Amino acid sequence: AQRVTQPEKLLSVFKGAPVELKCNYSYSGSPELFWYVQYSRQRLQLLLRHISRESIKGFTADLNKGETSFHLKKPFAQEEDSAMYYCALTQNSGNEKLTFGTGTRLTIIP
Amino acid sequence: DAGVTQSPTHLIKTRGQHVTLRCSPISGHKSVSWYQQVLGQGPQFIFQYYEKEERGRGNFPDRFSARQFPNYSSELNVNALLLGDSALYLCASSYLTDTQYFGPGTRLTVL
């Protein structure tokens, strides 16, 4: 069975400090990994996906198959980064079922 | 395009009642998925429909059912409501198997 684990429910970081949100997964095949974000009073939206290898809003995430991790990183936190972050995976086979972690609430301290 | 739309925004029902939630996908998107998000948890997959056919079903009881219409909009039906069905119900649409775009959700409260 596929599972996504986000060990931190809450994370507080000072503005300008580096940010790392942890995500570990278990899946027997070759998954596709995503980070979704939900800002206050907004809908859930895609932040980035590992196959695109893009940097969105300064965030990056590297898929480590050996450690089955997909941690989200940003070198310098900004106040507008405060939000709920969800790591998710799907089978890399056209099946769209997204399996989400429980989320991490990131608060940037001014 | 307004994005994925869902109705109603909020809903209050009592145990044993039935509820229908509606979703309109982004224009051109033929795939619709439904998720349940209980407070403090991530969204959990309920159903996926593509071209009016069920493509996937999550681990939910038969009280949950859904369908997709010729215009690709979708309904989620829940029968014999239980207190534990109280949650935010999210709809997402996508073009083929591309990125899923989420709606604002319907907040269901069962009393």
Side-chain angles (χ1 to χ4, degrees):
Chain A
Q2 52 203 50
R3 174 177 284 186
V4 176
T5 303
Q6 294 179 251
E8 304 136 330
K9 274 199 166 315
L10 303 170
L11 183 64
S12 295
V13 173
F14 284 100
K15 179 182 172 181
V19 176
E20 183 178 45
L21 285 78
K22 291 184 168 51
C23 172
N24 289 89
Y25 68 91
S26 61
Y27 182 66
S28 56
S30 180
E32 186 169 353
L33 275 295
F34 304 81
W35 276 98
Y36 277 82
V37 62
Q38 188 166 29
Y39 301 102
S40 180
R41 298 190 199 88
Q42 293 188 27
R43 62 186 67 189
L44 196 60
Q45 59 186 284
L46 179 68
L47 180 62
L48 56 82
R49 56 197 299 180
H50 89 271
I51 59 169
S52 64
R53 306 187 73 80
E54 291 177 316
S55 171
I56 308 295
K57 298 186 179 184
F59 284 97
T60 58
D62 289 320
L63 180 60
N64 185 324
K65 292 186 178 180
E67 296 181 359
T68 59
S69 68
F70 188 57
H71 303 327
L72 184 68
K73 299 178 183 179
K74 184 170 182 177
F76 307 104
Q78 298 173 292
E79 287 185 61
E80 55 265 33
D81 296 329
S82 293
M84 194 73 182
Y85 291 80
Y86 293 96
C87 182
L89 70 76
T90 188
Q91 296 175 39
N92 198 5
S93 62
N95 182 331
E96 290 190 32
K97 170 190 173 183
L98 279 166
T99 299
F100 285 87
T102 51
T104 297
R105 180 166 297 283
L106 175 65
T107 301
I108 306 302
I109 305 165
Chain B
D1 197 335
V4 177
T5 58
Q6 293 186 243
S7 63
T9 306
H10 297 90
L11 203 52
I12 299 175
K13 292 285 190 179
T14 56
R15 280 177 296 175
Q17 284 190 310
H18 161 270
V19 68
T20 298
L21 310 181
R22 296 178 175 83
C23 171
S24 292
I26 292 171
S27 178
H29 286 189
K30 299 181 179 180
S31 177
V32 170
S33 298
W34 287 95
Y35 293 83
Q36 181 196 64
Q37 187 172 20
V38 174
L39 199 61
Q41 301 292 320
Q44 263 199 296
F45 174 78
I46 310 175
F47 286 110
Q48 186 215 342
Y49 276 77
Y50 180 75
E51 288 279 17
K52 303 182 289 292
E53 290 193 3
E54 183 182 300
R55 277 283 188 91
R57 171 186 281 258
N59 189 22
F60 280 81
D62 291 344
R63 299 185 296 106
F64 288 76
S65 64
R67 55 180 176 167
Q68 188 177 31
F69 299 98
N71 67 353
Y72 304 110
S73 66
S74 178
E75 282 182 356
L76 175 69
N77 295 282
V78 187
N79 292 322
L81 285 167
L82 303 174
L83 294 179
D85 295 330
S86 295
L88 181 68
Y89 288 85
L90 297 169
C91 173
S93 77
S94 64
Y95 177 74
L96 296 178
T97 58
D98 208 343
T99 302
Q100 291 188 44
Y101 293 86
F102 283 83
T106 293
R107 171 77 59 191
L108 172 65
T109 302
V110 182
L111 301 176

